[in-house]
Amino acid sequence: MKVLVTGGLGFIGSHTIVELQQKGIEVVVIDNLSNSSLAVLDGIENISGIRPYFEQLDLRDKPAVFSFFESQNNIDGVIHFAASKAVGESVENPLLYYENNINTLVYVLQALEKYNISNFIFSSSCTVYGQADVLPITENAPIKKAESPYGNTKQIGEEIIQDTCKISSNLNAISLRYFNPIGAHSSAEIGELPIGVPQNLVPFIMQTAIGVRKELSVFGNDYPTTDGTCVRDYIHVVDLAKAHVLAIERLVNNKNTSNYETYNIGTGKGSTVLEVINSFEKISNTSLSYSFAPRRSGDVVEAYADNRKVSSDLGWKAESSLDDAMLSAWNWENKLKNKS
Ligand SMILES: NC(=O)c1ccc[n+]([C@@H]2O[C@H](COP(=O)([O-])OP(=O)(O)OC[C@H]3O[C@@H](n4cnc5c(N)ncnc54)[C@H](O)[C@@H]3O)[C@@H](O)[C@H]2O)c1
């Protein structure tokens, strides 16, 4: 099997490449390095022993996208990670997000059609559910109005794929709705590389603990949850990567029951911000500097996955605990510090 991974040098893409390679699947990679670096290829090679074929290409360049597909033979499927993902930046610059997350998706789907490639996995997000009315969240939960242009690109992206599947007998697609990916590879060869001030909790914890940030702000401690802080479903990035391998195998082996499917990828367990901080303090044997700040607008109170569908259809379940994920992220952060 040969799979194209777009955005493959990013956080989730790089871990997925390693899992694909470990299953004997050939991988080719596109990335424009807007949020990653070439050094990630070394990390991948250090783990798997294989350096995947890589092209530095911007998927907004439609002719370049088509030339890439023209030059490649026998691609069985595409896993499309490439996108911009900073929620705050998407509010500041919505057109950049619509261009980068929507135009690129359309070009890739057009190339699949032209080059007769059937199998497509899309990186979606639990953000499409907003604050769900019922927890845990099933795939049938209503899609709520997006809180940001970024979230909207995931909703529109899913609709574009679904509309294309309706009229294409050749296309088979799966949208994976990720909950909150965290952690790093156990080898500490690859991990998350936030550019600028991290927007997500775990990278912020790591940078605070390592001394890059002074203090973590916990936004809101008066929510209706066990300790007043927000609840999320934190999933180890390697578990998430493995879900992609199962999803692409499902399509390539014609095991799908409809030509457009959606799956939640989460552990099924919610953790509060304070539980994440406690987990970090336990695994690192350090104490984290944090204080409470007012609630942040747009934050949902609580989100965790009902993962029964992915478990029964793909045979997937999360294997790592929150502590495992925090430890892997901490090892990665220390490695980054030692390198710099
Ligand atoms: N990390 C999360 O919390 C999360 C949660 C839900 C969904 N997602 C989605 O998963 C996907 C991967 O996320 P990630 O955390 O690995 O992000 P990332 O930024 O680490 O990886 C994305 C990669 O895509 C590349 N890229 C961006 N625009 C490109 C373009 N026009 N052409 C070629 N390459 C381009 C970037 O350089 C980067 O390497 C994204 O679609 C993201 O929206 C992420």
Side-chain angles (χ1 to χ4, degrees):
M1 202 199 294
K2 177 171 167 182
V3 172
L4 165 63
V5 179
T6 74
L9 299 194
F11 174 42
I12 307 168
S14 56
H15 290 83
T16 301
I17 290 172
V18 166
E19 296 306 314
L20 290 164
Q21 289 174 324
Q22 287 178 344
K23 281 284 197 95
I25 297 168
E26 182 185 352
V27 180
V28 291
V29 184
I30 287 177
D31 203 298
N32 68 352
L33 304 181
S34 58
N35 200 32
S36 53
S37 85
L38 268 181
V40 176
L41 277 175
D42 300 331
I44 292 170
E45 190 178 2
N46 289 344
I47 301 170
S48 67
I50 305 163
R51 196 172 187 87
Y53 176 77
F54 170 69
E55 255 189 60
Q56 183 173 347
L57 189 157
D58 193 325
L59 291 167
R60 288 172 294 188
D61 181 347
K62 185 172 173 179
V65 173
F66 276 66
S67 316
F68 177 87
F69 279 88
E70 186 75 46
S71 71
Q72 289 287 327
N73 294 321
N74 311 324
I75 292 179
D76 295 294
V78 176
I79 306 181
H80 182 55
F81 292 104
S84 302
K85 65 166 181 178
V87 174
E89 188 187 39
S90 79
V91 175
E92 302 292 317
N93 198 344
L95 293 181
L96 173 75
Y97 273 66
Y98 288 115
E99 181 186 38
N100 204 40
N101 295 8
I102 301 299
N103 290 16
T104 58
L105 171 64
V106 171
Y107 299 158
V108 171
L109 290 173
Q110 287 173 329
L112 296 194
E113 188 178 40
K114 178 159 183 207
Y115 294 97
N116 220 15
I117 298 167
S118 308
N119 304 308
F120 184 72
I121 309 291
F122 178 62
S123 293
S124 189
S125 167
C126 68
T127 186
V128 300
Y129 300 120
Q131 179 57 69
D133 302 319
V134 179
L135 292 163
I137 304 170
T138 71
E139 288 81 355
N140 294 326
I143 302 299
K144 295 271 178 80
K145 184 169 166 36
E147 292 277 354
S148 69
Y150 167 73
N152 208 19
T153 65
K154 293 300 172 191
Q155 297 189 0
I156 297 169
E158 286 202 21
E159 285 172 7
I160 289 171
I161 299 164
Q162 200 170 9
D163 287 345
T164 313
C165 283
K166 275 186 200 148
I167 51 91
S168 165
S169 52
N170 189 37
L171 184 64
N172 290 291
I174 293 178
S175 288
L176 297 179
R177 294 174 178 159
Y178 315 155
F179 279 66
N180 294 76
I182 60 167
H185 196 266
S186 58
S187 63
E189 289 286 349
I190 51 174
E192 195 166 5
L193 277 171
I195 292 177
V197 181
Q199 308 248 323
N200 294 335
L201 175 63
V202 172
F204 209 107
I205 289 178
M206 298 302 151
Q207 291 197 0
T208 306
I210 212 93
V212 177
R213 314 270 156 218
K214 226 172 122 210
E215 187 182 66
L216 169 77
S217 296
V218 177
F219 298 109
N221 62 348
D222 56 353
Y223 285 108
T225 59
T226 49
D227 59 25
T229 62
C230 290
V231 170
R232 297 286 180 275
D233 184 335
Y234 295 96
I235 172 168
H236 196 302
V237 65
V238 173
D239 281 332
L240 175 59
K242 287 178 179 167
H244 291 80
V245 179
L246 294 169
I248 196 75
E249 285 177 338
R250 176 177 175 82
L251 294 184
V252 171
N253 297 326
N254 301 314
K255 294 277 167 51
N256 50 324
T257 52
S258 141
N259 74 338
Y260 179 66
E261 297 178 319
T262 55
Y263 289 102
N264 286 341
I265 311 293
T267 64
K269 183 179 177 301
S271 303
T272 66
V273 176
L274 291 182
E275 283 167 347
V276 176
I277 292 173
N278 288 340
S279 164
F280 173 73
E281 291 185 329
K282 185 172 87 184
I283 62 93
S284 64
N285 208 15
T286 58
S287 131
L288 188 78
S289 167
Y290 70 91
S291 64
F292 293 110
R295 292 181 181 194
R296 203 167 45 170
S297 86
D299 271 347
V300 303
V301 182
E302 209 167 355
Y304 53 93
D306 182 321
N307 55 18
R308 282 175 297 176
K309 188 179 172 205
V310 66
S311 161
S312 71
D313 288 6
L314 270 71
W316 177 90
K317 68 174 178 33
E319 286 162 6
S320 299
S321 66
L322 178 61
D323 288 352
D324 296 335
M326 294 304 283
L327 180 60
S328 66
W330 185 227
N331 290 340
W332 165 245
E333 194 66 39
N334 278 293
K335 180 148 180 201
L336 282 180
K337 187 186 181 192
N338 293 337
K339 265 193 197 163
S340 62

